[in-house]
């Protein structure tokens, strides 16, 4: 069973996104575990401090090495982790391939950055992989961590009602998905393509493949390289 431990200074940001829909159902089915850890429980002193000013005088606070180290060490005492991931703006860009790979793991830690970032020594000595959700910056790593967790959990066998659904998602075969339609076959004069109503699986698959390539060429030509 997949287990994901997420470390955050604002765990409340993660509780709702990962408690409902597909991640929530996966947990209820016993197919995945999601544990959110408040880093402030490992904070220093009476104020449970987890951040400090950066050496060099740059603006912004930096997450301290000691609380993060202690939290991760506590987790590692209980089990062996396949990856310790840091959600970093300059990490490798999250792709469907990465989600596929991580869905085969058993135990994953995700560290959410906050403030100006984390002490570099954490990245050098503790983190095994750094992942970004895009070339932009948000207030913390919590929302990116939720995105990563969702992308992984939905691929665990048994999580989706129709397990073949994930196989036809965008990017699974290096292309975006073709157009999809549902009832009614005609609405406001807008028709569903005849081939989808033909009942011929071979023709339908050929049409879907052609449309996927066409749409990828139009919208994401970089994928065709």
């Amino acid at each position: 069973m997949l287990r994901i431990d997420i470390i955050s200074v604002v765990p409340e940001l993660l509780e709702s996104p990962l408690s409902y829909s597909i991640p929530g159902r996966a947990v209820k089915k016993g197919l995945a575990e999601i544990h959110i850890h408040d880093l402030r429980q490992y904070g220093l002193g009476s104020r449970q401090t987890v951040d400090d000013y950066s050496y060099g005088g740059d603006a912004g606070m930096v997450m301290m090495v000691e609380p993060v180290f202690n939290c991760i060490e506590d987790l590692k005492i209980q089990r062996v982790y396949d990856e310790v991931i840091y959600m970093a703006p300059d990490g490798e860009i999250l792709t469907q391939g990465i989600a596929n790979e991580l869905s085969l793991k058993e135990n994953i830690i995700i560290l959410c950055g906050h403030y100006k970032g984390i002490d570099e020594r954490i990245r050098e000595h503790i983190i095994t992989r750094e992942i970004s959700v895009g070339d932009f910056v948000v207030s913390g790593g919590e929302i990116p961590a939720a995105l990563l967790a969702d992308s992984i959990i939905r691929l665990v066998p048994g999580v989706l009602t129709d397990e073949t659904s994930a196989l036809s998602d965008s990017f699974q075969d290096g292309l975006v998905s073709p157009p999809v339609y549902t009832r009614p076959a005609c609405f406001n004069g807008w028709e569903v393509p005849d081939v989808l109503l033909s009942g011929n699986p071979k023709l339908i698959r050929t049409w879907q493949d052609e449309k996927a390539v066409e749409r990828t060429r139009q919208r994401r030509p970089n994928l065709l390289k």
Side-chain angles (χ1 to χ4, degrees):
M1 180 173 62
L2 172 67
R3 176 185 171 115
I4 299 177
D5 290 270
I6 307 178
I7 303 170
S8 167
V9 296
V10 278
E12 297 83 2
L13 286 175
L14 290 157
E15 291 169 358
S16 178
L18 296 176
S19 297
Y20 297 93
S21 189
I22 291 172
R25 291 201 298 270
V27 172
K28 289 179 181 178
K29 288 181 178 180
L31 299 172
E33 291 184 18
I34 304 172
H35 298 271
I36 302 170
H37 305 274
D38 186 351
L39 185 61
R40 293 194 182 278
Q41 293 182 355
Y42 294 85
L44 306 182
S46 60
R47 299 183 63 182
Q48 296 181 298
T49 302
V50 297
D51 61 300
D52 205 342
Y53 295 102
S54 63
Y55 284 123
D58 292 339
M61 306 296 282
V62 177
M63 289 174 62
M64 302 166 68
V65 63
E66 189 173 350
V68 175
F69 176 84
N70 290 338
C71 179
I72 292 177
E73 285 299 298
D74 266 5
L75 292 173
K76 286 183 174 179
I77 290 173
Q78 303 170 51
R79 64 192 53 82
V80 176
Y81 284 90
D82 302 294
E83 297 280 7
V84 181
I85 299 170
Y86 173 49
M87 303 308 300
D90 56 348
E92 59 183 322
I93 298 295
L94 177 61
T95 64
Q96 190 62 44
I98 292 174
N100 290 341
E101 177 187 346
L102 293 175
S103 71
L104 301 176
K105 307 293 186 181
E106 291 187 5
N107 299 305
I108 298 172
I109 293 174
I110 303 177
L111 173 62
C112 304
H114 215 72
Y115 312 115
K116 191 67 174 178
I118 64 175
D119 189 299
E120 185 67 17
R121 290 168 290 186
I122 300 170
R123 302 176 74 167
E124 291 175 344
H125 300 289
I126 301 175
I127 300 301
T128 63
R129 191 164 194 173
E130 300 184 348
I131 295 177
S132 169
V133 296
D135 294 337
F136 54 90
V137 176
V138 292
S139 299
E142 286 75 20
I143 294 175
L147 287 172
L148 176 61
D150 186 288
S151 73
I152 298 170
I153 290 171
R154 67 190 307 277
L155 297 171
V156 174
V159 170
L160 297 181
T161 303
D162 182 355
E163 293 187 11
T164 63
S165 176
L167 299 178
S168 61
D169 286 342
S170 287
F171 310 116
Q172 279 289 9
D173 56 1
L175 303 171
V176 301
S177 294
V180 293
Y181 301 84
T182 188
R183 295 177 177 83
C186 179
F187 174 76
N188 203 27
W190 305 330
E191 302 279 354
V192 171
D194 290 338
V195 65
L196 297 179
L197 308 176
S198 69
N200 187 320
K202 185 176 180 180
L203 287 179
I204 292 172
R205 182 60 187 172
T206 298
W207 179 89
Q208 290 173 330
D209 290 343
E210 291 174 351
K211 287 297 180 180
V213 173
E214 178 184 321
R215 179 164 285 191
T216 303
R217 183 176 293 112
Q218 292 172 344
R219 304 185 180 192
R220 296 294 300 277
N222 59 299
L223 297 176
L224 294 176
K225 296 178 181 179

